[in-house]
Amino acid sequence: MTGTVDFAREAPGDEGSALIDVMPDVAARSPFQLFWRRLRTDRVALAAAALIVLLVLMAICAPLIVKLVGARPPNQQSDKYFSLGKVGVPSPTGPSSKNLFGVDPLGRDLFSRVVYGARVSLEIALAATALSVAIGLVVGLFAGYFRGWVDTVLSRLVDVLLAFPILLLGIGIASACSLGHGCLGGLIKPGLGVVILVISFVNWTYIARIVRGQVLSLREREFVEAARSLGASHMRIMFREILPNLVAPLIVYATLIIPQNILFEAALSFLGVGVQPPDPSWGKMIADATDVFDTAWWYMVFPGAALLLTVLAFNLLGDGLQDAINPRASRS
Amino acid sequence: MKFLMAMALASTALLVAGCGGTAGKKGGTLTVLSQGDVDSLDPGYQYYQYDYEALSQPAQRTLYGWKPNLRKPSPDFAASMPKLSNGGKTITIKLKSGVRFSPPVNRVATAADVKYAMERDFLPQVANSYAPVYYGDIVGVKAFTDGKAKGISGIQAPNPTTLVIKTTKPVGVLTTANALTLPGTAPVPKEYAQKFDKGKTSTYGQHVVFTGPYMIPNDRSGKVTGWTPSKRLELVRNPNWDRKTDYRPAYLERIAFLAGNDLSLATRRILSGNGQISGDFAAPPVADFKLALEHYPSQVSFTPGDSYRSITMNTTVKPFDNVNVRKAVAAVIDRNALVATRGGSRIGPVATHYIPPFLPGFQEAGGSKSPYDYMSQPNGNLALAKRYMRKAGYASGRYNGPSLLMVGDDSAPAKNTGEAVQSQLQQLGFKLNYQQVPHEVANSKFCGVPKQKVAICPNWAWGKDFYDSQSMIDPTFNGKNIVPSNNSNLSELNDPKLNAAMDRAERIPDPAGRAKAWGAIDKAVTGLAVQVPWIWDNDVNLRSKNVKAVTNLFNGTWDVAFTSIK
Amino acid sequence: MIRYIVRRLLWMVVLLFLVSAITFLIFYALPSADPAVLRAGRQPNTQLIAHIRHQLGLDRPWYVQYWHYIKRLVLHFDFGYSYQNLISVRRQIFERLPATISLTLGAAVLWIVVGMAVGTISAVYRGRLVDRVAMTGALVGISAPVYLLGLVGLYFFANDTGKIHVFPGSGSYTGLTVNPVKWFTSLLLPWIVLATTQAAIYARLLRANLIDTLSEDYIRTARAKGLSEPRVVIVHGVRSAITPVVTAAGLDVGILLGGAILTETVFNIPGVGHLAYESIKNSDLPMIQGTVLLGAFFIILLNLVVDVLYAFIDPRVRYA
């Protein structure tokens, strides 16, 4: 079963399989300088990287930015910014000097919600990526290194999970764990943590597969043989000898799944099972905008644009990294 | 007081416009667009507003009914108002003769059919939910539900047109005929229905017969053919209905109820289309409401919903065991802002207590003014709220305890109301674990389950069962009504003095005395600030231009038995 | 080959069984709405709830409930009854399936045709303006969530809420057998939206593979033999670069047949995905089970189909 991690698009495309194909050469070569030289000439990727740095800064400095612009805090609700119109029905007002991006149907300032939304989005995407890489790495290492029954058990587990309609499973777990006082006897509390866990839970299988494949070939290499003959323990061989060779491809892979995770969070929030209020999430804002989008266009446009730009930036950077690490599949 | 006048005028104007004094044109097909479907076809199960609109009012003859513009019961299958004797404990009801069941039963309905109908209300397979509450004091109910008697001895049919109900003590909701308007009093032919009432779940709904002007098409055995659940329900004329016995004009030839509509799209379709009216939606989404008032003002009707919406606090969850914290919450809530989330003041006036205008006891409970400072400022008052917090022992005037569980609805506009509440409570330092779930889940799993210890429910609403304020106060604030699931006393208020006052008020037979007693109880409950009522909302009904639609004040929706096509 | 297929089919049964068990455990263990209370109506009393609980078998231990479920499923192909409305799960799923199949297959045709056309042109004109524009467009397509595209599409083009009235709006889906013309027009916008994001992926995928293929020796030989360039690209290039596209298409269709949740939600199409999503929100366990099993069935089945197809497209692949 091939497949990628593009859950948020409903059906994963098969972009990743190209990546899987090229992985084996990568680990062996890892000429970092060559890689950097190539990346430096890729202006698009550099621009994307700059945009990402800006986004991260925006996320970190959200309170400062909001203050500098003179906007209200993201969760301050008010009916002062409604217009009553001719018929006395309060409706949110559009962009103005007081509210740069207009207000939402609660009268909250959309600009500060979009800025704070970057925080929520990146926090979840980065944490979920790190967590799924960690789980996938450990499972893949064990399965590939020990082979035999360990491999059989772990690989079959992955097979079963891959047979699930994954977005559905994600929604199910997210919705159940966000209820009441949490799930698993209160072990998992509702909040951002649930979203991170759900995304990692559906992600790690793909990473485990890739790592397993790499480890299967790495474990036959001379340096592993050498370590083994010197009497190194399994743990030492796995984590000291094999792991360092996996770092480069994993970084590229992680860059490629960050945008998918951003989209996954947005999709969960769009469906109402992701980020809980009052935390601003772009996906949730888009969902809320559905009810009013023909009277309050700004409510869909700004969060939508923020989401699109962020994902695009990560995709461009990921492409650049991939090209730089493997010029054979280069784009031009 | 001002708004009350305005509202009264508005509804009078509406009635004049609606009924117009002239008769409607006979014939034509009407389409009703709704979000959900009726709950059940079985009159023994029906209880919900839309059940009344689609089935109980146009297709069944209950003992008493609600004429469109009257706030008191009128005889329907009954020939006259009930006669009381034995100190109000014996109720004698004369019935009309010549009311016949629809095919395949065809025969004349009698008092024995009402007796059977009310008995089956107590069968678990019928799953009626109000019978124990309103009919529980009828003599012989316990013996019947325990399986010791074949029927309820306190319901008697001495002859085909006389029904006698005997109760163990005077029951106000029965003596005033209010509870005898419920769908479960529509006659059910025993010899035909009994076979369907056997087994785990009654299947009478799928074979139901009708006494009203309309019926669902069925086959020769009586099996209903005109209903596809969650999609379509159809009503056609009942050939056995006699116009002379009924107050309903029943102009329409055919009525189709279409479920599963998106509110926003349905609103636009009704307003710009032909031959359609709104079904079960209390009000269209705010953006569409605005559009409706801007472009189709004459096609929008308001009826007082006779209900309130409130934010409930659970008195068994800290810190809401402290009355001053509750008062602080009441004081900080900007009720005008909450009203804005539902469409602004046209949707209804800001509430100051529970019993809504037009229900007896409203004036006695304080009218639209409030004697309490924390309910007097519709825009909220942070300084006052902080004073109450300090009184409660929070020196900074802000809450600093652990985060609290709040569970609300996940769809607009209720979702927006909840988020506004969350944002307003933040001003007092409240951190909330706020979860949005579908309305049914919010009630069945969280707010209505005391074990869940939900601290706040921001989307609670409660409406009347009939024009008697017991149904507004007793189920929601009497300690005896706290149950492990589907609880409606969300605050879990269990105040012995108030409980006793409510038990006394239940037994008062005369309407004036009842109004006074329930009004006073309302005032006392508001004084405990266990909930923050914030709107007495109107129902907003929509019609196509060519529909001469009539609203029913009791039900708050259109009355299709009085509606016609222009 | 036959033996391989039989073995895979057996494995499929095992997988489905495991999927059903895991789903049951997850949704049984996690908190959800009380189905008995959901069923009991608006103001039920305690006896009534207990009665319904017993009727639904909810008072039994979970393994007994699961055993009954599996027994009914295997013996009668019966998925049980929805807690929400007591209507047969099988009936509701089969009622919804045509909408999902219509949406998926229509979109698949569109995205494969468009994706392959764009991918081929891009590969042939590699590095030129047309390639750069196409690939930038593809990247934007990949980065845009389908629901955002859908809402933007509705905003501009829906004939009830849009600026220019072109396509029928949200919630206008009509069954093929009810009215074929309306069926087609109501699905046009959803097809385009769903296909846009997918076509972008396919264009990139085919382009990358085609560039690899076109640099191989046998293509050079073909060119040297004097074959026309279009013939070289299409007959020799695309044909061998198509394998991963077929794989991806099979898997994507498999996943979407189990429910295109986001697209169905945005366009309010009464498909399986929407049903599954609603059932999760309502904690309707039998319905969740049914829809998850259906989804898994399609995923596993299409995987098998893809693997078998592989053998036909690529003669190097053998199955033992």
Side-chain angles (χ1 to χ4, degrees):
Chain A
M1 218 177 285
T2 40
T4 64
V5 283
D6 194 3
F7 321 105
R9 200 182 319 285
E10 309 213 282
D14 209 35
E15 268 205 298
S17 66
L19 183 70
I20 299 166
D21 292 344
V22 304
M23 283 292 185
D25 330 356
V26 172
R29 257 190 257 142
S30 83
F32 182 75
Q33 284 177 329
L34 189 68
F35 164 79
W36 176 236
R37 202 177 302 154
R38 285 200 207 102
L39 187 64
R40 244 183 2 194
T41 58
D42 189 345
R43 274 179 308 184
V44 177
L46 287 181
L51 185 58
I52 290 169
V53 170
L54 268 177
L55 273 168
V56 172
L57 278 177
M58 181 171 102
I60 295 172
C61 310
L64 188 69
I65 294 173
V66 166
K67 210 174 210 171
L68 281 180
V69 171
R72 286 176 291 141
N75 299 331
Q76 195 189 88
Q77 179 264 346
S78 165
D79 55 353
K80 272 196 216 98
Y81 302 94
F82 288 137
S83 76
L84 281 177
K86 286 192 300 253
V87 290
V89 178
S91 328
T93 50
S96 69
S97 57
K98 281 218 180 72
N99 303 286
L100 284 181
F101 289 179
V103 299
D104 72 3
L106 259 74
R108 295 179 293 202
D109 183 77
L110 196 55
F111 174 79
S112 51
R113 288 189 73 72
V114 169
V115 170
Y116 272 84
R119 219 177 215 204
V120 173
S121 182
L122 292 180
E123 219 170 79
I124 290 178
L126 296 179
T129 306
L131 190 59
S132 47
V133 167
I135 302 173
L137 182 69
V138 170
V139 173
L141 263 177
F142 274 76
Y145 182 80
F146 288 109
R147 296 189 298 194
W149 66 268
V150 179
D151 186 22
T152 310
V153 169
L154 291 175
S155 296
R156 288 291 164 262
L157 178 69
V158 169
D159 277 354
V160 173
L161 284 177
L162 286 177
F164 268 97
I166 217 72
L167 182 58
L168 206 55
L169 188 67
I171 296 171
I173 299 175
S175 116
C177 284
S178 299
L179 285 180
H181 301 280
C183 63
L184 297 180
L187 196 66
I188 303 176
K189 290 251 185 293
L192 297 192
V194 171
V195 186
I196 294 170
L197 277 180
V198 166
I199 299 178
S200 329
F201 177 73
V202 292
N203 253 344
W204 70 266
T205 46
Y206 298 91
I207 296 159
R209 285 195 149 205
I210 292 166
V211 171
R212 173 182 169 273
Q214 300 259 308
V215 174
L216 277 179
S217 76
L218 283 171
R219 75 188 296 279
E220 308 301 335
R221 296 281 181 83
E222 292 93 7
F223 67 94
V224 176
E225 283 299 318
R228 205 172 286 145
S229 61
L230 286 173
S233 71
H234 291 313
M235 287 296 150
R236 196 185 157 83
I237 297 174
M238 276 196 284
F239 289 95
R240 284 285 173 80
E241 305 293 337
I242 297 181
L243 182 63
N245 290 287
L246 294 170
V247 170
L250 278 179
I251 287 176
V252 176
Y253 198 67
T255 318
L256 284 169
I257 64 172
I258 287 172
Q260 313 301 347
N261 286 349
I262 293 176
L263 285 176
F264 200 178
E265 178 274 311
L268 288 176
S269 298
F270 176 81
L271 293 170
V273 295
V275 174
Q276 301 280 344
D279 288 341
S281 153
W282 295 332
K284 188 176 185 302
M285 287 183 226
I286 295 171
D288 291 347
T290 316
D291 297 329
V292 294
F293 74 83
D294 54 341
T295 51
W297 55 268
W298 53 92
Y299 197 24
M300 183 167 73
V301 166
F302 293 111
L307 179 59
L308 183 64
L309 275 179
T310 308
V311 175
L312 187 61
F314 274 102
N315 275 335
L316 284 170
L317 179 66
D319 265 15
L321 287 179
Q322 203 183 338
D323 288 352
I325 214 164
N326 176 47
R328 194 168 61 102
S330 165
R331 283 169 302 159
S332 52
Chain B
M1 207 51 42
K2 215 169 175 186
F3 81 88
L4 228 178
M5 290 291 290
M7 291 249 308
L9 282 174
S11 29
T12 321
L14 170 124
L15 288 172
V16 173
C19 297
T22 58
K25 207 173 78 187
K26 237 182 124 184
T29 299
L30 180 73
T31 305
V32 185
L33 300 187
S34 73
Q35 220 177 353
D37 197 4
V38 293
D39 275 358
S40 168
L41 305 187
D42 186 342
Y45 185 92
Q46 293 162 5
Y47 191 32
Y48 164 43
Q49 188 182 31
Y50 193 51
D51 297 342
Y52 276 87
E53 182 181 356
L55 290 166
S56 187
Q57 291 187 327
Q60 294 289 1
R61 309 280 304 262
T62 45
L63 282 176
Y64 295 87
W66 302 95
K67 289 183 178 171
N69 51 358
L70 273 189
R71 289 199 165 90
K72 61 181 182 54
S74 305
D76 188 354
F77 184 28
S80 56
M81 293 309 284
K83 288 196 178 61
L84 307 181
S85 53
N86 192 14
K89 291 197 286 185
T90 300
I91 302 166
T92 306
I93 301 161
K94 247 355 219 173
L95 300 182
K96 285 176 186 144
S97 52
V99 171
R100 284 164 67 206
F101 286 111
S102 63
V105 174
N106 295 320
R107 67 169 172 81
V108 167
T110 66
D113 299 320
V114 179
K115 174 177 162 64
Y116 180 65
M118 292 179 71
E119 283 168 357
R120 70 189 286 283
D121 288 344
F122 285 93
L123 298 176
Q125 54 267 41
V126 173
N128 178 301
S129 52
Y130 54 78
V133 182
Y134 294 127
Y135 307 150
D137 290 326
I138 295 176
V139 172
V141 161
K142 190 156 179 358
F144 179 70
T145 52
D146 289 350
K148 287 181 195 136
K150 283 212 145 145
I152 296 173
S153 57
I155 306 176
Q156 295 158 3
N159 65 56
T161 57
T162 309
L163 185 76
V164 179
I165 297 173
K166 292 184 171 156
T167 54
T168 53
K169 57 186 178 199
V171 180
V173 294
L174 292 178
T175 54
T176 57
N178 270 305
L180 296 174
T181 63
L182 288 160
T185 62
V188 174
K190 186 173 183 177
E191 78 283 1
Y192 168 79
Q194 215 167 18
K195 53 183 177 291
F196 305 121
D197 284 342
K198 296 213 162 80
K200 282 180 178 173
T201 305
S202 169
T203 55
Y204 177 61
Q206 274 106 67
H207 304 84
V208 59
V209 287
F210 302 89
T211 44
Y214 296 101
M215 62 179 282
I216 308 174
N218 55 14
D219 64 16
R220 287 174 63 184
S221 72
K223 194 166 166 35
V224 162
T225 54
W227 185 51
T228 317
S230 310
K231 269 205 186 125
R232 185 187 169 89
L233 172 72
E234 199 184 342
L235 290 184
V236 295
R237 283 198 183 281
N238 172 2
N240 293 338
W241 175 72
D242 184 355
R243 170 81 180 85
K244 289 197 293 289
T245 65
D246 203 334
Y247 58 75
R248 298 166 179 84
Y251 299 118
L252 298 161
E253 207 55 43
R254 194 179 264 278
I255 309 158
F257 299 85
L258 304 184
N261 287 288
D262 174 77
L263 280 192
S264 176
L265 293 171
T267 301
R268 287 156 203 254
R269 255 173 232 163
I270 293 165
L271 292 173
S272 61
N274 276 321
Q276 299 167 77
I277 59 168
S278 57
D280 65 346
F281 40 111
V286 178
D288 304 292
F289 179 53
K290 186 173 170 219
L291 173 126
L293 288 179
E294 276 171 0
H295 301 290
Y296 309 92
S298 63
Q299 290 163 245
V300 186
S301 296
F302 297 89
T303 44
D306 299 331
S307 58
Y308 66 83
R309 292 180 190 277
S310 70
I311 305 156
T312 68
M313 287 169 272
N314 190 331
T315 57
T316 67
V317 173
K318 272 188 189 327
F320 297 131
D321 52 344
N322 185 325
V323 67
N324 284 315
V325 175
R326 301 197 299 259
K327 286 179 179 171
V329 168
V332 83
I333 292 295
D334 179 348
R335 282 170 286 157
N336 274 330
L338 300 190
V339 171
T341 61
R342 289 193 79 83
S345 54
R346 300 286 295 264
I347 291 289
V350 167
T352 50
H353 55 92
Y354 304 96
I355 297 177
F358 304 110
L359 247 70
F362 172 73
Q363 290 303 341
E364 289 81 350
S368 52
K369 283 236 167 60
S370 176
Y372 306 109
D373 54 356
Y374 50 87
M375 288 304 288
S376 296
Q377 296 177 53
N379 283 318
N381 184 335
L382 185 59
L384 177 68
K386 285 192 166 163
R387 274 208 295 284
Y388 275 116
M389 283 307 277
R390 274 185 220 110
K391 233 190 227 174
Y394 295 88
S396 64
R398 285 170 68 86
Y399 175 73
N400 50 20
S403 77
L404 301 170
L405 179 61
M406 171 159 111
V407 180
D409 293 6
D410 68 349
S411 55
K415 175 180 73 175
N416 294 341
T417 308
E419 290 183 23
V421 168
Q422 180 182 33
S423 144
Q424 293 171 8
L425 288 180
Q426 246 173 12
Q427 301 174 62
L428 283 183
F430 283 101
K431 285 189 296 290
L432 301 178
N433 165 13
Y434 172 31
Q435 290 162 24
Q436 299 177 328
V437 294
H439 181 75
E440 291 78 21
V441 179
N443 277 349
S444 70
K445 177 66 187 174
F446 293 104
C447 293
V449 184
K451 199 177 70 193
Q452 293 282 357
K453 295 278 170 210
V454 180
I456 307 176
C457 296
N459 300 128
W460 180 242
W462 192 257
K464 67 167 191 317
D465 278 351
F466 24 72
Y467 288 100
D468 185 294
S469 290
Q470 177 182 330
S471 64
M472 286 307 301
I473 301 288
D474 193 69
T476 48
F477 298 111
N478 197 331
K480 74 179 179 194
N481 291 326
I482 303 174
V483 288
S485 57
N486 247 30
N487 178 28
S488 43
N489 183 347
L490 262 60
S491 296
E492 293 180 57
L493 181 64
N494 196 357
D495 182 305
K497 257 169 62 191
L498 276 174
N499 293 349
M502 284 187 249
D503 293 344
R504 272 197 307 278
E506 278 172 26
R507 287 195 291 273
I508 299 174
D510 75 294
R514 293 180 69 79
K516 207 172 145 204
W518 287 110
I521 294 167
D522 180 340
K523 199 180 256 179
V525 173
T526 311
L528 293 173
V530 292
Q531 300 189 1
V532 189
W534 54 272
I535 190 174
W536 287 306
D537 47 355
N538 295 323
D539 284 326
V540 181
N541 302 299
L542 310 168
R543 63 176 177 91
S544 297
K545 203 158 191 181
N546 72 333
V547 178
K548 191 171 170 188
V550 175
T551 47
N552 185 297
L553 277 185
F554 163 75
N555 204 32
T557 60
W558 298 118
D559 192 332
V560 293
F562 285 81
T563 295
S564 58
I565 304 276
K566 277 181 194 160
Chain C
M1 189 68 180
I2 300 291
R3 272 185 56 192
Y4 169 77
I5 294 178
V6 169
R7 219 178 56 207
R8 283 287 300 264
L9 283 174
L10 284 177
W11 174 229
M12 178 167 167
V13 172
V14 174
L15 267 181
L16 282 176
F17 178 75
L18 287 173
V19 165
S20 83
I22 293 174
T23 314
F24 193 90
L25 272 179
I26 289 178
F27 290 96
Y28 188 88
L30 296 178
S32 64
D34 186 336
V37 178
L38 277 183
R39 255 330 289 160
R42 284 167 213 269
Q43 261 199 327
N45 49 48
T46 327
Q47 299 103 289
L48 178 63
I49 291 170
H51 175 79
I52 294 173
R53 194 181 304 276
H54 180 72
Q55 227 181 305
L56 295 174
L58 296 169
D59 47 356
R60 314 267 185 83
W62 68 268
Y63 47 88
V64 177
Q65 291 187 39
Y66 182 63
W67 169 243
H68 283 293
Y69 179 81
I70 286 293
K71 210 165 68 183
R72 276 201 317 256
L73 184 61
V74 172
L75 294 180
H76 309 289
F77 193 51
D78 175 3
F79 289 79
Y81 291 83
S82 156
Y83 287 158
Q84 200 68 21
N85 51 21
L86 288 186
I87 300 170
S88 148
V89 169
R90 189 178 66 185
R91 185 178 134 195
Q92 292 193 64
I93 288 181
F94 282 111
E95 269 176 18
R96 303 280 198 123
L97 204 47
T100 300
I101 294 177
S102 307
L103 174 64
T104 305
L105 294 187
V109 169
L110 201 57
W111 89 60
I112 291 172
V113 170
V114 174
M116 286 187 44
V118 173
T120 310
I121 292 170
S122 260
V124 172
Y125 297 103
R126 177 182 185 185
R128 308 250 195 95
L129 185 66
V130 64
D131 175 33
R132 283 174 179 275
V133 170
M135 284 305 107
T136 311
L139 207 60
V140 174
I142 285 177
S143 305
V146 68
Y147 47 89
L148 184 64
L149 284 182
L151 288 174
V152 171
L154 286 172
Y155 179 77
F156 284 111
F157 303 120
N159 64 10
D160 41 19
T161 54
K163 298 286 157 219
I164 326 165
H165 294 184
V166 183
F167 301 113
S170 168
S172 57
Y173 174 80
T174 318
L176 175 63
T177 49
V178 178
N179 184 337
V181 176
K182 274 195 180 165
W183 170 82
F184 185 77
T185 52
S186 71
L187 279 170
L188 264 177
L189 190 57
W191 279 338
I192 294 173
V193 165
L194 181 53
T196 303
T197 55
Q198 293 289 336
I201 299 174
Y202 282 66
R204 279 163 60 95
L205 185 62
L206 185 69
R207 178 183 175 277
N209 275 290
L210 201 52
I211 286 173
D212 276 1
T213 316
L214 289 179
S215 64
E216 282 190 29
D217 293 341
Y218 73 98
I219 297 283
R220 275 189 218 126
T221 318
R223 280 206 183 103
K225 277 200 299 192
L227 290 179
S228 71
E229 188 62 23
R231 210 182 140 84
V232 171
V233 171
I234 293 170
V235 176
H236 295 279
V238 175
R239 229 177 70 180
S240 48
I242 208 173
T243 318
V245 174
V246 171
T247 313
L251 299 179
D252 284 351
V253 167
I255 288 170
L256 287 175
L257 282 177
I261 300 175
L262 295 165
T263 314
E264 288 174 16
T265 304
V266 169
F267 291 101
N268 201 2
I269 297 170
V272 183
H274 203 57
L275 183 69
Y277 169 60
E278 295 283 310
S279 64
I280 285 178
K281 295 224 90 178
N282 290 314
S283 307
D284 190 347
L285 183 58
M287 193 65 91
I288 296 174
Q289 272 280 16
T291 49
V292 168
L293 272 182
L294 180 86
F297 169 78
F298 280 125
I299 291 174
I300 302 168
L301 181 73
L302 267 293
N303 260 294
L304 174 60
V305 170
V306 161
D307 287 350
V308 172
L309 269 183
Y310 226 80
F312 286 105
I313 301 175
D314 191 340
R316 285 170 299 179
V317 181
R318 285 260 169 70
Y319 298 104

